[in-house]
Amino acid sequence: MKNIVILISGGGSNMAAMVKTSERERWQSRFGARIAAVVSNKADAKGLVFAKERGIATHVLDHKAFPTREAFDDALAALIDPYNTPSHPVLVVLAGFMRILTPGFVERYAGRLTNIHPSLLPAFTGLHTHQRAIDAGCKYAGCTVHLVTGELDHGPILEQAVVPVLPNDTADTLAARVLTQEHVIYPRAIASLLSK
Ligand code: GAR
């Protein structure tokens, strides 16, 4: 059995897609894996409502309550670690979690910490990826699932999907097109990790 803990900050549509895929594809019987908890750094994250409705444990850890990044990440690890036992090793899935993690946290979950980023990495790390792709005249954009390493939006690539950038695209229309692909590749990447 593996425990999956998903970290969100907002809408949680990637988390919801992961939950629905895990149910449809019966990850529990196929891989011995279950989505054990959803953690948000924001109390009003919409995704928490969906997770609760699905009977998944939810936790809120407000980063503003901590004086430093290290203190927040220590508290986050303390929250995740009960889901991390020898018989139930944890997989930590960042899904729209808009916090930069400290090297200590990344090291603690090295090899079992994943992220989805809304660009074709290594292009456009950081924020405002869709507007930057439009401004750069890109004909294609996309999204990337990768293992998290110490460097922001870097690390071994697990999956990517490509979408066209259309002539009248705004950051919002492009983001929506990319997001539909995120919902496909993130569950696929996690299923592939779980099958190993
Ligand atoms: C997604 O587009 C995800 O790729 C992005 O935030 C959105 C979250 O949507 N993540 C980042 O920008 C991380 N740097 P969701 O909450 O509906 O899954």
Side-chain angles (χ1 to χ4, degrees):
M1 176 69 84
K2 285 179 186 127
N3 279 332
I4 299 170
V5 175
I6 305 181
L7 274 51
I8 65 169
S9 296
S13 70
N14 276 289
M15 175 273 297
M18 191 85 62
V19 169
K20 288 179 192 165
T21 304
S22 73
E23 290 172 358
R24 196 177 57 246
E25 296 183 348
R26 297 187 166 75
W27 286 5
Q28 189 137 3
S29 53
R30 272 175 72 199
F31 307 126
R34 69 178 187 117
I35 297 174
V38 171
V39 181
S40 173
N41 64 311
K42 296 201 170 166
D44 60 355
K46 260 174 43 196
L48 290 170
V49 178
F50 172 89
K52 275 186 197 141
E53 279 168 8
R54 287 300 230 253
I56 299 168
T58 59
H59 306 272
V60 174
L61 195 65
D62 182 355
H63 60 277
K64 292 196 226 80
F66 295 88
T68 61
R69 266 184 207 285
E70 285 74 17
F72 173 71
D73 282 7
D74 285 350
L76 189 57
L79 211 159
I80 292 170
D81 275 348
Y83 297 100
N84 187 29
T85 65
S87 56
H88 299 70
V90 78
L91 179 63
V92 181
V93 170
L94 308 180
F97 186 65
M98 305 305 278
R99 301 289 307 160
I100 294 173
L101 295 164
T102 55
F105 186 94
V106 171
E107 185 56 37
R108 188 184 192 95
Y109 301 107
R112 46 216 183 96
L113 178 58
T114 63
N115 182 42
I116 187 152
H117 184 74
S119 78
L120 292 170
L121 291 175
F124 305 123
T125 61
L127 297 175
H128 310 301
T129 55
H130 305 299
Q131 190 59 54
R132 287 159 63 206
I134 290 168
D135 292 347
C138 294
K139 300 294 180 204
Y140 295 93
C143 46
T144 304
V145 178
H146 65 99
L147 288 174
V148 176
T149 58
E151 201 179 345
L152 180 69
D153 297 331
H154 281 72
I157 290 173
L158 302 174
E159 285 271 352
Q160 284 185 310
V162 178
V163 303
V165 180
L166 301 179
N168 294 323
D169 262 338
T170 62
D172 285 347
T173 59
L174 180 56
R177 193 174 307 119
V178 170
L179 194 61
T180 62
Q181 294 307 306
E182 296 186 36
H183 299 164
V184 174
I185 66 167
Y186 210 0
R188 189 196 294 158
I190 296 304
S192 169
L193 270 186
L194 293 169
S195 70
K196 284 174 185 154

